Amino acid sequence: MEPTPVVRETLAALRPGRAWGEVRLVDEVGSTNLEVRDLPVWSSVVARRQSAGRGRRGRAWSDTEGHGIACSLLAEVDLDGLGDGALGWVPLATGLAVRDCLVSLGLDTALKWPNDVLAGPAEQKVCGILCEALPPSAKGEPPRVVVGVGVNLDHEAPDLPVPTATSLRLLARAAGRPAPTRDAVVPALLDALRDRLDPLDLTSLRRDYREASATLGREVEVHLPDGSVLRARAEGVDDDGRLRVAGPQGSATVSAGDVHHLRHQPPS
């Protein structure tokens, strides 16, 4: 099928020299993460509206007004020489990729572990990320991961999903810059994701994540699924992307899947 003019323009805006799968740009979809699963690797589905999206730990995520960007990329992650635990870095790499994209558009942001992208002194959230590993398609093939990103693009304050969120339009206005357009953000985001995931370079990821992190060195509250709260200092990220903390209750290493919520404590 011949790509539509919008898809052709998006493909033309991507950095040359890479083989991509299908790129589908649609107005509305239930879940981009579900739509991209059966496409060739390095395919993407991008929608204005998502009516049945999901966040981490099964939370609902939707934008029925069409102010955001819902983007899912089917990535193939080569773990050769890295070990299976390196797959835990994919969500962190995705957060870094979103930050790379926004910095390229002139919008400075930071990361809250594992992959919340925050902006400004109030640490407002600008996007949501959900990465889902798929069953192996064939023995010996690299793992495939659906990388889902939902960006708050042109919301005004009353339209934001939660009071602690912001949008690229609001960030650009505060910085005295023109608001980034959907046509500019989508190819920049796809290129940034590909840069971070193909290949998965753990050396640069660890270095860049430390520099971009708003969590490391901070006092945090780690809310666990059983309702307990671990109050500690975020000391680092281990080789598998898990957060190392230490405090009065002792030291611990927690994975993103084990944490219901992480909150930065305000400075004392």
Side-chain angles (χ1 to χ4, degrees):
M1 181 182 295
E2 178 68 16
T4 67
V6 174
V7 171
R8 284 200 299 269
E9 291 170 9
T10 300
L11 290 170
L14 293 170
R15 194 178 308 124
R18 284 174 170 153
W20 293 86
E22 296 182 35
V23 175
R24 295 184 180 178
L25 304 180
V26 299
D27 190 53
E28 183 172 356
V29 72
S31 165
T32 56
N33 268 25
L34 293 178
E35 289 290 322
V36 83
R37 287 170 178 249
D38 297 323
L39 298 182
V41 294
W42 301 118
S43 291
S44 63
V45 176
V46 183
R48 288 176 178 272
R49 293 187 295 273
Q50 188 172 226
S51 60
R54 292 166 296 122
R56 205 169 64 84
R57 301 189 66 82
R59 301 183 182 100
W61 191 96
S62 63
D63 186 9
T64 56
E65 298 301 320
H67 295 304
I69 297 172
C71 173
S72 292
L73 175 70
L74 182 59
E76 186 175 67
V77 185
D78 187 357
L79 297 179
D80 188 30
L82 300 179
D84 292 343
L87 206 59
W89 270 93
V90 170
L92 282 70
T94 301
L96 267 174
V98 175
R99 182 178 184 270
D100 294 341
C101 167
L102 299 186
V103 168
S104 76
L105 297 170
L107 303 175
D108 194 23
T109 54
L111 298 176
K112 182 176 81 170
W113 182 89
N115 54 17
D116 279 352
V117 184
L118 308 177
E123 296 188 333
Q124 294 169 293
K125 187 173 176 178
V126 296
C127 85
I129 291 171
L130 178 64
C131 297
E132 301 177 288
L134 299 183
S137 57
K139 187 175 181 180
E141 287 193 354
R144 295 174 303 141
V145 181
V146 174
V147 176
V149 179
V151 181
N152 297 331
L153 178 63
D154 55 14
H155 300 69
E156 293 292 348
D159 305 317
L160 288 163
V162 293
T164 54
T166 189
S167 70
L168 303 193
R169 176 188 291 273
L170 294 174
L171 290 177
R173 183 181 299 158
R177 303 180 62 90
T181 65
R182 191 178 304 270
D183 291 344
V185 174
V186 170
L189 176 59
L190 291 175
D191 274 331
L193 289 169
R194 193 73 183 264
D195 286 345
R196 287 295 184 181
L197 299 172
D198 184 24
L200 193 68
D201 182 346
L202 295 186
T203 299
S204 64
L205 282 176
R206 289 167 182 149
R207 178 195 66 230
D208 296 346
Y209 191 87
R210 284 195 300 269
E211 293 176 356
S213 177
T215 298
L216 299 184
R218 293 271 296 272
E219 298 297 321
V220 298
E221 292 181 354
V222 182
H223 294 248
L224 302 174
D226 63 3
S228 62
V229 178
L230 177 63
R231 293 176 175 84
R233 182 179 178 85
E235 298 284 351
V237 177
D238 74 4
D239 289 347
D240 297 337
R242 297 174 298 188
L243 183 68
R244 292 187 285 103
V245 299
Q249 298 161 273
S251 300
T253 302
V254 294
S255 68
D258 295 333
V259 175
H260 181 70
H261 182 69
L262 182 136
R263 179 175 289 115
H264 290 164
Q265 295 190 42
S268 56

